[in-house]
Amino acid sequence: MAAPRFAEQLNVQIGHEFAAHNQYLSCAVYYDALTMPQLAGFFYAQAVEEREHALMMVQYLLDTDVPVRIPGVEQPVAEFTDIAHPLRLALEQERRVTEQVHNLLRIAREESDFASEQFMQWFVKEQVEETATMNDLLTVVSRSIDDVNAIEEWVARERAGEATDPTAPPVAGA
């Protein structure tokens, strides 16, 4: 069984992951409305990934015989000032999630909850990747803000060949 303090915070994190899902879905819809299918597709995929992160956490709690609480989430930002705005928001969100993941890892260590610490290691690695991706994408969009086609081409080129991670924790319901 996971340490109670860790389990409590992991239940909170499930809400953060579902909030990220909704925010990325909002970003995807924004880009879809602008007829930017590559960026829209990127954010639709990111939304699914955030949902899967939440469900990985759900599965871990189920596997460790801990009650799962699915918290409500705030409404996502849906109005953006320019095509870089969703990416600035996404980068801030990934930085915030990185802090949350580090806090969960810290709690697991303080509680000598070795299984939970090991579970969180994958999320630490994932956050490095997610933050770097959003940072790179924001740089490209900021540099090419007046050239939507160049942005779309870059996203299409960079997303080609993305694979699933076989080391990822199991997803509840999958």
Side-chain angles (χ1 to χ4, degrees), residues 24-44 80 83 86 152:
Y24 285 161
L25 189 57
S26 181
C27 294
V29 169
Y30 170 77
Y31 288 122
D32 227 354
L34 293 177
T35 317
M36 296 179 73
Q38 296 300 322
L39 265 176
F42 171 80
F43 274 102
Y44 282 126
F80 304 101
I83 63 172
E152 288 285 280

PDB file of all heavy atoms in Angstrom, residues 24-44 80 83 86 152:
ATOM      1  N   TYR A  24      -5.269  21.283 -22.798  1.00  0.00           N
ATOM      2  CA  TYR A  24      -4.706  20.934 -24.107  1.00  0.00           C
ATOM      3  C   TYR A  24      -5.807  20.707 -25.137  1.00  0.00           C
ATOM      4  O   TYR A  24      -5.633  21.023 -26.309  1.00  0.00           O
ATOM      5  CB  TYR A  24      -3.788  19.717 -23.989  1.00  0.00           C
ATOM      6  CG  TYR A  24      -2.454  20.060 -23.363  1.00  0.00           C
ATOM      7  CD1 TYR A  24      -1.657  19.084 -22.809  1.00  0.00           C
ATOM      8  CD2 TYR A  24      -1.988  21.375 -23.323  1.00  0.00           C
ATOM      9  CE1 TYR A  24      -0.431  19.397 -22.236  1.00  0.00           C
ATOM     10  CE2 TYR A  24      -0.776  21.692 -22.756  1.00  0.00           C
ATOM     11  CZ  TYR A  24       0.000  20.704 -22.222  1.00  0.00           C
ATOM     12  OH  TYR A  24       1.206  21.020 -21.664  1.00  0.00           O
ATOM     13  N   LEU A  25      -6.930  20.189 -24.700  1.00  0.00           N
ATOM     14  CA  LEU A  25      -8.069  20.044 -25.611  1.00  0.00           C
ATOM     15  C   LEU A  25      -8.540  21.421 -26.082  1.00  0.00           C
ATOM     16  O   LEU A  25      -8.811  21.633 -27.268  1.00  0.00           O
ATOM     17  CB  LEU A  25      -9.194  19.282 -24.908  1.00  0.00           C
ATOM     18  CG  LEU A  25     -10.368  18.845 -25.755  1.00  0.00           C
ATOM     19  CD1 LEU A  25      -9.919  17.978 -26.912  1.00  0.00           C
ATOM     20  CD2 LEU A  25     -11.370  18.108 -24.881  1.00  0.00           C
ATOM     21  N   SER A  26      -8.578  22.381 -25.180  1.00  0.00           N
ATOM     22  CA  SER A  26      -8.952  23.745 -25.528  1.00  0.00           C
ATOM     23  C   SER A  26      -7.962  24.344 -26.531  1.00  0.00           C
ATOM     24  O   SER A  26      -8.362  25.006 -27.494  1.00  0.00           O
ATOM     25  CB  SER A  26      -9.023  24.603 -24.263  1.00  0.00           C
ATOM     26  OG  SER A  26      -9.408  25.920 -24.569  1.00  0.00           O
ATOM     27  N   CYS A  27      -6.683  24.095 -26.325  1.00  0.00           N
ATOM     28  CA  CYS A  27      -5.650  24.573 -27.271  1.00  0.00           C
ATOM     29  C   CYS A  27      -5.845  23.929 -28.642  1.00  0.00           C
ATOM     30  O   CYS A  27      -5.746  24.602 -29.679  1.00  0.00           O
ATOM     31  CB  CYS A  27      -4.250  24.259 -26.746  1.00  0.00           C
ATOM     32  SG  CYS A  27      -3.782  25.136 -25.241  1.00  0.00           S
ATOM     33  N   ALA A  28      -6.131  22.632 -28.647  1.00  0.00           N
ATOM     34  CA  ALA A  28      -6.334  21.917 -29.906  1.00  0.00           C
ATOM     35  C   ALA A  28      -7.510  22.505 -30.687  1.00  0.00           C
ATOM     36  O   ALA A  28      -7.412  22.728 -31.903  1.00  0.00           O
ATOM     37  CB  ALA A  28      -6.573  20.430 -29.635  1.00  0.00           C
ATOM     38  N   VAL A  29      -8.590  22.769 -29.989  1.00  0.00           N
ATOM     39  CA  VAL A  29      -9.778  23.332 -30.645  1.00  0.00           C
ATOM     40  C   VAL A  29      -9.458  24.720 -31.212  1.00  0.00           C
ATOM     41  O   VAL A  29      -9.878  25.053 -32.325  1.00  0.00           O
ATOM     42  CB  VAL A  29     -10.967  23.373 -29.665  1.00  0.00           C
ATOM     43  CG1 VAL A  29     -12.122  24.181 -30.220  1.00  0.00           C
ATOM     44  CG2 VAL A  29     -11.406  21.948 -29.325  1.00  0.00           C
ATOM     45  N   TYR A  30      -8.707  25.497 -30.479  1.00  0.00           N
ATOM     46  CA  TYR A  30      -8.294  26.831 -30.954  1.00  0.00           C
ATOM     47  C   TYR A  30      -7.520  26.712 -32.269  1.00  0.00           C
ATOM     48  O   TYR A  30      -7.830  27.399 -33.248  1.00  0.00           O
ATOM     49  CB  TYR A  30      -7.443  27.515 -29.881  1.00  0.00           C
ATOM     50  CG  TYR A  30      -6.758  28.781 -30.341  1.00  0.00           C
ATOM     51  CD1 TYR A  30      -7.457  29.973 -30.475  1.00  0.00           C
ATOM     52  CD2 TYR A  30      -5.399  28.782 -30.641  1.00  0.00           C
ATOM     53  CE1 TYR A  30      -6.824  31.140 -30.889  1.00  0.00           C
ATOM     54  CE2 TYR A  30      -4.754  29.939 -31.056  1.00  0.00           C
ATOM     55  CZ  TYR A  30      -5.471  31.117 -31.179  1.00  0.00           C
ATOM     56  OH  TYR A  30      -4.832  32.268 -31.593  1.00  0.00           O
ATOM     57  N   TYR A  31      -6.532  25.836 -32.306  1.00  0.00           N
ATOM     58  CA  TYR A  31      -5.742  25.673 -33.537  1.00  0.00           C
ATOM     59  C   TYR A  31      -6.563  25.041 -34.655  1.00  0.00           C
ATOM     60  O   TYR A  31      -6.387  25.387 -35.823  1.00  0.00           O
ATOM     61  CB  TYR A  31      -4.477  24.852 -33.266  1.00  0.00           C
ATOM     62  CG  TYR A  31      -3.439  25.610 -32.478  1.00  0.00           C
ATOM     63  CD1 TYR A  31      -2.965  25.118 -31.267  1.00  0.00           C
ATOM     64  CD2 TYR A  31      -2.915  26.811 -32.945  1.00  0.00           C
ATOM     65  CE1 TYR A  31      -2.013  25.809 -30.536  1.00  0.00           C
ATOM     66  CE2 TYR A  31      -1.964  27.509 -32.220  1.00  0.00           C
ATOM     67  CZ  TYR A  31      -1.514  27.006 -31.016  1.00  0.00           C
ATOM     68  OH  TYR A  31      -0.565  27.695 -30.310  1.00  0.00           O
ATOM     69  N   ASP A  32      -7.468  24.147 -34.311  1.00  0.00           N
ATOM     70  CA  ASP A  32      -8.347  23.558 -35.317  1.00  0.00           C
ATOM     71  C   ASP A  32      -9.206  24.640 -35.968  1.00  0.00           C
ATOM     72  O   ASP A  32      -9.390  24.654 -37.188  1.00  0.00           O
ATOM     73  CB  ASP A  32      -9.239  22.494 -34.668  1.00  0.00           C
ATOM     74  CG  ASP A  32      -9.283  21.201 -35.448  1.00  0.00           C
ATOM     75  OD1 ASP A  32      -8.725  21.129 -36.551  1.00  0.00           O
ATOM     76  OD2 ASP A  32      -9.895  20.242 -34.927  1.00  0.00           O
ATOM     77  N   ALA A  33      -9.708  25.559 -35.160  1.00  0.00           N
ATOM     78  CA  ALA A  33     -10.543  26.643 -35.689  1.00  0.00           C
ATOM     79  C   ALA A  33      -9.743  27.575 -36.602  1.00  0.00           C
ATOM     80  O   ALA A  33     -10.321  28.212 -37.482  1.00  0.00           O
ATOM     81  CB  ALA A  33     -11.173  27.436 -34.542  1.00  0.00           C
ATOM     82  N   LEU A  34      -8.433  27.642 -36.386  1.00  0.00           N
ATOM     83  CA  LEU A  34      -7.566  28.467 -37.242  1.00  0.00           C
ATOM     84  C   LEU A  34      -7.071  27.712 -38.481  1.00  0.00           C
ATOM     85  O   LEU A  34      -6.254  28.233 -39.232  1.00  0.00           O
ATOM     86  CB  LEU A  34      -6.350  28.961 -36.450  1.00  0.00           C
ATOM     87  CG  LEU A  34      -6.619  29.950 -35.333  1.00  0.00           C
ATOM     88  CD1 LEU A  34      -5.320  30.282 -34.606  1.00  0.00           C
ATOM     89  CD2 LEU A  34      -7.270  31.218 -35.870  1.00  0.00           C
ATOM     90  N   THR A  35      -7.560  26.501 -38.672  1.00  0.00           N
ATOM     91  CA  THR A  35      -7.123  25.627 -39.755  1.00  0.00           C
ATOM     92  C   THR A  35      -5.613  25.422 -39.705  1.00  0.00           C
ATOM     93  O   THR A  35      -4.896  25.593 -40.688  1.00  0.00           O
ATOM     94  CB  THR A  35      -7.564  26.172 -41.141  1.00  0.00           C
ATOM     95  OG1 THR A  35      -8.909  26.627 -41.049  1.00  0.00           O
ATOM     96  CG2 THR A  35      -7.485  25.095 -42.203  1.00  0.00           C
ATOM     97  N   MET A  36      -5.157  25.047 -38.525  1.00  0.00           N
ATOM     98  CA  MET A  36      -3.760  24.677 -38.302  1.00  0.00           C
ATOM     99  C   MET A  36      -3.759  23.216 -37.839  1.00  0.00           C
ATOM    100  O   MET A  36      -3.607  22.925 -36.655  1.00  0.00           O
ATOM    101  CB  MET A  36      -3.109  25.597 -37.272  1.00  0.00           C
ATOM    102  CG  MET A  36      -3.023  27.044 -37.712  1.00  0.00           C
ATOM    103  SD  MET A  36      -2.261  28.120 -36.465  1.00  0.00           S
ATOM    104  CE  MET A  36      -0.535  27.618 -36.602  1.00  0.00           C
ATOM    105  N   PRO A  37      -3.956  22.282 -38.772  1.00  0.00           N
ATOM    106  CA  PRO A  37      -4.167  20.885 -38.384  1.00  0.00           C
ATOM    107  C   PRO A  37      -2.983  20.235 -37.676  1.00  0.00           C
ATOM    108  O   PRO A  37      -3.186  19.332 -36.853  1.00  0.00           O
ATOM    109  CB  PRO A  37      -4.478  20.182 -39.705  1.00  0.00           C
ATOM    110  CG  PRO A  37      -3.891  21.062 -40.755  1.00  0.00           C
ATOM    111  CD  PRO A  37      -4.006  22.469 -40.229  1.00  0.00           C
ATOM    112  N   GLN A  38      -1.770  20.661 -37.962  1.00  0.00           N
ATOM    113  CA  GLN A  38      -0.619  20.048 -37.309  1.00  0.00           C
ATOM    114  C   GLN A  38      -0.561  20.422 -35.826  1.00  0.00           C
ATOM    115  O   GLN A  38      -0.376  19.552 -34.972  1.00  0.00           O
ATOM    116  CB  GLN A  38       0.685  20.416 -38.024  1.00  0.00           C
ATOM    117  CG  GLN A  38       0.776  19.883 -39.436  1.00  0.00           C
ATOM    118  CD  GLN A  38       0.683  18.359 -39.491  1.00  0.00           C
ATOM    119  OE1 GLN A  38       1.208  17.653 -38.638  1.00  0.00           O
ATOM    120  NE2 GLN A  38      -0.005  17.860 -40.494  1.00  0.00           N
ATOM    121  N   LEU A  39      -0.707  21.703 -35.536  1.00  0.00           N
ATOM    122  CA  LEU A  39      -0.712  22.123 -34.133  1.00  0.00           C
ATOM    123  C   LEU A  39      -1.950  21.586 -33.414  1.00  0.00           C
ATOM    124  O   LEU A  39      -1.869  21.183 -32.255  1.00  0.00           O
ATOM    125  CB  LEU A  39      -0.632  23.642 -34.009  1.00  0.00           C
ATOM    126  CG  LEU A  39       0.774  24.194 -33.803  1.00  0.00           C
ATOM    127  CD1 LEU A  39       0.764  25.713 -33.778  1.00  0.00           C
ATOM    128  CD2 LEU A  39       1.430  23.649 -32.561  1.00  0.00           C
ATOM    129  N   ALA A  40      -3.075  21.578 -34.100  1.00  0.00           N
ATOM    130  CA  ALA A  40      -4.289  21.010 -33.504  1.00  0.00           C
ATOM    131  C   ALA A  40      -4.051  19.539 -33.173  1.00  0.00           C
ATOM    132  O   ALA A  40      -4.336  19.095 -32.050  1.00  0.00           O
ATOM    133  CB  ALA A  40      -5.475  21.162 -34.448  1.00  0.00           C
ATOM    134  N   GLY A  41      -3.508  18.791 -34.112  1.00  0.00           N
ATOM    135  CA  GLY A  41      -3.230  17.373 -33.883  1.00  0.00           C
ATOM    136  C   GLY A  41      -2.250  17.160 -32.750  1.00  0.00           C
ATOM    137  O   GLY A  41      -2.399  16.227 -31.945  1.00  0.00           O
ATOM    138  N   PHE A  42      -1.231  18.018 -32.683  1.00  0.00           N
ATOM    139  CA  PHE A  42      -0.259  17.943 -31.598  1.00  0.00           C
ATOM    140  C   PHE A  42      -0.961  18.085 -30.256  1.00  0.00           C
ATOM    141  O   PHE A  42      -0.735  17.293 -29.341  1.00  0.00           O
ATOM    142  CB  PHE A  42       0.804  19.034 -31.771  1.00  0.00           C
ATOM    143  CG  PHE A  42       1.725  19.170 -30.588  1.00  0.00           C
ATOM    144  CD1 PHE A  42       2.786  18.303 -30.414  1.00  0.00           C
ATOM    145  CD2 PHE A  42       1.508  20.168 -29.643  1.00  0.00           C
ATOM    146  CE1 PHE A  42       3.626  18.421 -29.312  1.00  0.00           C
ATOM    147  CE2 PHE A  42       2.339  20.297 -28.540  1.00  0.00           C
ATOM    148  CZ  PHE A  42       3.404  19.417 -28.374  1.00  0.00           C
ATOM    149  N   PHE A  43      -1.833  19.087 -30.134  1.00  0.00           N
ATOM    150  CA  PHE A  43      -2.507  19.306 -28.852  1.00  0.00           C
ATOM    151  C   PHE A  43      -3.595  18.275 -28.564  1.00  0.00           C
ATOM    152  O   PHE A  43      -3.813  17.932 -27.402  1.00  0.00           O
ATOM    153  CB  PHE A  43      -3.022  20.740 -28.736  1.00  0.00           C
ATOM    154  CG  PHE A  43      -1.977  21.679 -28.226  1.00  0.00           C
ATOM    155  CD1 PHE A  43      -1.300  22.531 -29.082  1.00  0.00           C
ATOM    156  CD2 PHE A  43      -1.625  21.689 -26.883  1.00  0.00           C
ATOM    157  CE1 PHE A  43      -0.308  23.380 -28.614  1.00  0.00           C
ATOM    158  CE2 PHE A  43      -0.638  22.530 -26.397  1.00  0.00           C
ATOM    159  CZ  PHE A  43       0.020  23.383 -27.266  1.00  0.00           C
ATOM    160  N   TYR A  44      -4.266  17.757 -29.587  1.00  0.00           N
ATOM    161  CA  TYR A  44      -5.202  16.655 -29.333  1.00  0.00           C
ATOM    162  C   TYR A  44      -4.439  15.464 -28.756  1.00  0.00           C
ATOM    163  O   TYR A  44      -4.880  14.825 -27.803  1.00  0.00           O
ATOM    164  CB  TYR A  44      -5.936  16.239 -30.615  1.00  0.00           C
ATOM    165  CG  TYR A  44      -7.067  17.154 -31.032  1.00  0.00           C
ATOM    166  CD1 TYR A  44      -7.097  17.704 -32.317  1.00  0.00           C
ATOM    167  CD2 TYR A  44      -8.127  17.448 -30.172  1.00  0.00           C
ATOM    168  CE1 TYR A  44      -8.137  18.540 -32.713  1.00  0.00           C
ATOM    169  CE2 TYR A  44      -9.166  18.276 -30.564  1.00  0.00           C
ATOM    170  CZ  TYR A  44      -9.165  18.815 -31.839  1.00  0.00           C
ATOM    171  OH  TYR A  44     -10.205  19.634 -32.231  1.00  0.00           O
ATOM    172  N   PHE A  80      -7.519  33.029 -26.634  1.00  0.00           N
ATOM    173  CA  PHE A  80      -6.087  33.281 -26.745  1.00  0.00           C
ATOM    174  C   PHE A  80      -5.836  34.543 -27.560  1.00  0.00           C
ATOM    175  O   PHE A  80      -6.599  34.862 -28.473  1.00  0.00           O
ATOM    176  CB  PHE A  80      -5.408  32.075 -27.396  1.00  0.00           C
ATOM    177  CG  PHE A  80      -5.671  30.795 -26.657  1.00  0.00           C
ATOM    178  CD1 PHE A  80      -6.627  29.884 -27.099  1.00  0.00           C
ATOM    179  CD2 PHE A  80      -4.982  30.497 -25.491  1.00  0.00           C
ATOM    180  CE1 PHE A  80      -6.883  28.712 -26.409  1.00  0.00           C
ATOM    181  CE2 PHE A  80      -5.225  29.324 -24.791  1.00  0.00           C
ATOM    182  CZ  PHE A  80      -6.178  28.429 -25.255  1.00  0.00           C
ATOM    183  N   ILE A  83      -1.298  33.144 -31.788  1.00  0.00           N
ATOM    184  CA  ILE A  83      -1.021  31.715 -31.934  1.00  0.00           C
ATOM    185  C   ILE A  83       0.079  31.212 -30.993  1.00  0.00           C
ATOM    186  O   ILE A  83       0.207  30.007 -30.800  1.00  0.00           O
ATOM    187  CB  ILE A  83      -0.708  31.317 -33.393  1.00  0.00           C
ATOM    188  CG1 ILE A  83       0.549  31.992 -33.915  1.00  0.00           C
ATOM    189  CG2 ILE A  83      -1.904  31.581 -34.287  1.00  0.00           C
ATOM    190  CD1 ILE A  83       1.000  31.480 -35.276  1.00  0.00           C
ATOM    191  N   PRO A  86      -1.304  29.889 -26.590  1.00  0.00           N
ATOM    192  CA  PRO A  86      -1.510  28.548 -26.039  1.00  0.00           C
ATOM    193  C   PRO A  86      -0.195  27.857 -25.671  1.00  0.00           C
ATOM    194  O   PRO A  86      -0.137  27.104 -24.696  1.00  0.00           O
ATOM    195  CB  PRO A  86      -2.219  27.794 -27.169  1.00  0.00           C
ATOM    196  CG  PRO A  86      -2.867  28.851 -27.982  1.00  0.00           C
ATOM    197  CD  PRO A  86      -1.939  30.031 -27.913  1.00  0.00           C
ATOM    198  N   GLU A 152       3.504  24.895 -39.239  1.00  0.00           N
ATOM    199  CA  GLU A 152       2.831  23.627 -39.508  1.00  0.00           C
ATOM    200  C   GLU A 152       3.805  22.592 -40.080  1.00  0.00           C
ATOM    201  O   GLU A 152       3.779  21.422 -39.702  1.00  0.00           O
ATOM    202  CB  GLU A 152       1.661  23.842 -40.475  1.00  0.00           C
ATOM    203  CG  GLU A 152       0.475  24.556 -39.846  1.00  0.00           C
ATOM    204  CD  GLU A 152      -0.313  23.635 -38.933  1.00  0.00           C
ATOM    205  OE1 GLU A 152      -1.126  22.826 -39.425  1.00  0.00           O
ATOM    206  OE2 GLU A 152      -0.096  23.710 -37.710  1.00  0.00           O
TER     207      GLU A 152
END
